[in-house]
Amino acid sequence: MQLDLNLLAALDALLEEGSVAGAADRLHVTAPAMSRSLGRIRRTTGDQILVRTGRTMTPTPYALAVREQVHALLQQVQGVLAPSRELDLATLERTFTLRWHDSLVALAGPALLAAVREQAPGVRLRFVAESAVDTPGLRRGEVDLEANANPPDAADVRAERVAETPQVVVVRADHPLSRGQAMTAERYAAADHVAVSRRGNLAGVIDEALAGLGLARRVVATVPSEAAALEFVRGSELVVTVPESTTRHALAALGLVALPLPLELPPAPVFLSWHQRYDTDRAHTWLRDLARAALSAPPLPTRAPAAKARTN
């Protein structure tokens, strides 16, 4: 029996994408070519692999049973056939795509780029914005590294918790909450809030914590980035609750202050995620090490804004 290893790659793509068109895009072939590959796979295995149910394709029980095995076999084949050589950073020419939360790009992106340029001047970094919906960028090979607060739920995507930071309440320097008596959960809940959510969610863990105390807050707006939220706050009596480390560098420049959050909440985590296909990729391992160091480094201290001289 003669086996075509291209069919193994096609089968893996079909099982991952669940459609002929998706598998074709993943392997950069035409849809008719992928359809022919599916026909050959069906004849070889004696199974339909994918069957149409309405407008979608559903994997057969056999396909579900062998999906993980097929993926593992493909990884082994690629490892055997890939040339094994030492990584030469001085001559490395490669572009890495990173989908990071915007605040993490601002916090750790400059340090990562500086380290990359020093060690491997031929390497380029593409930071792309997060989407409002979850995307399979890591699994498709479109994204090399993700960094955000959410661990992936896919079995073939690795995730490492590289940092964490407490949540703080940010207000303008002369905000009523920053003066006088200490801020309580009641005073915090009574303020008008702007929330940061790339999906536009008006409620979250903060509201659950307040509900446990018999309190509720009013979120008057949501914005997709922390930078935008800080602009809303600096010119109003709105408050925003954000991770301390990702906004510390911007507070002094914007005339804002951070106050302790009067709620018992766990610190906000930072996860670094990548697809398992890159576990043994030496260049990718090198980049992960640099990204891990940049994301886990403590933020630089910021100077308090100079006090303005009083005039009579």
Side-chain angles (χ1 to χ4, degrees):
M1 182 178 181
Q2 294 183 346
L3 296 179
D4 183 351
L5 292 181
N6 289 325
L7 291 184
L8 187 64
L11 178 57
D12 179 64
L14 286 164
L15 296 180
E16 288 286 342
E17 302 298 332
S19 74
V20 171
D25 288 341
R26 180 170 179 156
L27 296 185
H28 306 292
V29 300
T30 65
M34 183 55 65
S35 293
R36 290 192 294 271
S37 294
L38 177 57
R40 293 179 60 195
I41 292 170
R42 285 170 169 169
R43 290 191 296 272
T44 301
T45 62
D47 188 87
Q48 289 297 299
I49 303 299
L50 295 174
V51 294
R52 183 165 296 281
T53 54
R55 295 184 177 181
T56 62
M57 301 287 283
T58 301
T60 64
Y62 169 79
L64 292 174
V66 301
R67 179 164 55 187
E68 294 301 324
Q69 184 181 6
V70 167
H71 190 75
L73 283 172
L74 183 61
Q75 296 294 311
Q76 292 176 24
V77 169
Q78 292 174 339
V80 170
L81 297 180
S84 177
R85 57 177 178 267
E86 294 297 324
L87 179 64
D88 185 358
L89 294 176
T91 61
L92 180 63
E93 298 279 346
R94 187 161 168 179
T95 299
F96 292 97
T97 300
L98 300 87
R99 178 174 285 134
W100 288 15
H101 189 280
D102 72 291
S103 63
L104 296 178
V105 177
L107 176 70
L112 174 59
L113 180 59
V116 167
R117 295 188 66 189
E118 179 182 358
Q119 299 181 29
V123 168
R124 298 186 298 176
L125 302 182
R126 294 177 64 244
F127 287 96
V128 298
E130 289 188 297
S131 170
V133 296
D134 291 329
T135 63
L138 289 175
R139 305 185 78 183
R140 288 178 177 270
E142 299 166 350
V143 175
D144 293 286
L145 279 176
E146 286 190 353
N148 50 45
N150 303 310
D153 56 8
D156 55 347
V157 174
R158 312 294 194 203
E160 180 180 346
R161 186 171 180 147
V162 296
E164 61 181 30
T165 180
Q167 301 265 26
V168 293
V169 181
V170 174
V171 297
R172 72 169 194 263
D174 60 346
H175 193 283
L177 286 177
S178 67
R179 304 193 304 267
Q181 57 185 329
M183 183 170 57
T184 62
E186 287 76 13
R187 295 185 69 202
Y188 170 76
D192 285 339
H193 296 250
V194 58
V196 180
S197 172
R198 62 189 175 99
R199 293 183 173 88
N201 294 331
L202 290 166
V205 294
I206 291 175
D207 303 276
E208 294 173 2
L210 287 171
L213 300 175
L215 300 171
R217 65 173 179 164
R218 182 169 182 258
V219 176
V220 300
T222 68
V223 293
S225 70
E226 290 175 11
L230 297 182
E231 290 296 331
F232 276 75
V233 168
R234 70 184 299 199
S236 69
E237 291 197 355
L238 294 171
V239 305
V240 64
T241 306
V242 290
E244 189 270 342
S245 66
T246 59
T247 50
R248 183 192 299 181
H249 67 287
L251 299 188
L254 296 176
L256 304 173
V257 295
L259 307 174
L261 178 66
L263 299 172
E264 292 293 332
L265 284 183
V270 176
F271 288 95
L272 188 65
S273 306
W274 66 95
H275 194 272
Q276 65 180 14
R277 70 169 64 89
Y278 294 121
D279 281 350
T280 58
D281 184 307
R282 296 184 181 184
H284 200 280
T285 300
W286 162 78
L287 181 68
R288 293 199 304 269
D289 289 341
L290 294 184
R292 185 183 300 110
L295 289 166
S296 61
L300 294 174
T302 56
R303 295 181 180 178
K308 295 181 179 179
R310 292 185 178 180
T311 57
N312 295 325

